[in-house]
Amino acid sequence: MPSGAPKGENCLVDMDSKAGDLFSAEDAHPTGTGGGGVLAKLWLPKGISASMAKEWFDKRRLSIRPWASFVDQRKFSKPRNFGELCQRVVKNVETYNSNYTFIFLGLILYCIISSPMLLIALAVFAGAFYIIHLKSLESKLVVLGKELTVPHQMSLAGAVSLPVFWLAGAGAAVFWVLGATLFVIGSHAAFRELEGSDIEELLMEPV
């Protein structure tokens, strides 16, 4: 009996195109008003488009150094002096900046997921901003004779959700993320030995 499931070539899926659908802004709605990608359907502030977000993400993803080399314990050692420590930090931050960026984003994600109250606070902020933005689309929002711009709308949503963020301990979460990021990145940059090409580049630099 025919099961109705796709067969043959129809089963092949282009994973790159599927990944691109996340950011795709091509018209998918019959009226031409709907974006095809998930992020394209979300409202983004003026000056920030889905294509810009995809371009930034792709650049970071392509410039990531191999994680196996990034955490290779054989390439870690104590710097001999303060000068070598500074050289390592500067050069490693330049070399592994994309890896460090994803570590920072991962710590933020972990902090949010591990705190239900913080998730609720973010949901309240997003909901408040969404409602305010919809109202501004229906008619201009004017306060004290001035129209509310996008930054003003975000500030208003932040003020509405501030009590929830305070109850969720958002301040402590921010300091935790910053502290953990500085510790992880600082330790890696200080103890990760420079590659041979990096050492040659430093030796060739004029004094």
Side-chain angles (χ1 to χ4, degrees):
M1 293 179 62
S3 60
K7 297 181 179 179
E9 296 182 355
N10 293 333
C11 293
L12 298 177
V13 179
D14 187 347
M15 297 306 296
D16 290 336
S17 64
K18 289 297 182 182
D21 288 343
L22 179 65
F23 296 93
S24 175
E26 297 178 357
D27 291 341
H29 196 276
T31 61
T33 58
V38 175
L39 293 185
K41 296 177 181 179
L42 298 177
W43 181 89
L44 293 173
K46 292 182 179 179
I48 301 178
S49 63
S51 60
M52 291 175 60
K54 181 180 183 299
E55 181 181 359
W56 180 88
F57 184 83
D58 287 343
K59 283 183 177 180
R60 289 294 179 182
R61 183 165 54 88
L62 293 174
S63 61
I64 288 179
R65 294 300 182 98
W67 290 103
S69 174
F70 181 81
V71 298
D72 189 353
Q73 295 182 359
R74 296 171 298 178
K75 296 184 178 180
F76 285 82
S77 66
K78 181 181 178 181
R80 291 171 294 182
N81 50 54
F82 182 73
E84 184 180 8
L85 172 66
C86 294
Q87 288 182 343
R88 286 187 180 185
V89 170
V90 172
K91 200 63 185 177
N92 282 330
V93 168
E94 178 184 342
T95 302
Y96 298 104
N97 64 85
S98 292
N99 299 71
Y100 294 154
T101 299
F102 279 95
I103 288 176
F104 174 65
L105 295 176
L107 288 172
I108 292 177
L109 184 62
Y110 169 78
C111 185
I112 293 175
I113 294 177
S114 61
S115 176
M117 280 298 297
L118 196 56
L119 281 173
I120 295 175
L122 289 173
V124 171
F125 171 79
F129 177 70
Y130 184 68
I131 293 173
I132 294 172
H133 180 64
L134 287 181
K135 293 294 183 181
S136 68
L137 293 179
E138 296 174 359
S139 60
K140 292 183 178 180
L141 298 178
V142 180
V143 177
L144 300 177
K146 293 185 178 181
E147 181 182 354
L148 290 182
T149 61
V150 172
H152 294 153
Q153 295 173 21
M154 296 185 71
S155 300
L156 182 57
V160 171
S161 56
L162 182 61
V164 186
F165 276 105
W166 181 78
L167 291 174
V174 170
F175 282 109
W176 182 90
V177 170
L178 293 177
T181 301
L182 289 176
F183 176 78
V184 173
I185 294 178
S187 299
H188 182 276
F191 291 98
R192 177 61 162 82
E193 297 175 356
L194 299 180
E195 301 290 346
S197 58
D198 294 333
I199 296 177
E200 292 178 2
E201 183 179 340
L202 287 173
L203 293 176
M204 294 177 62
E205 289 182 355
V207 180

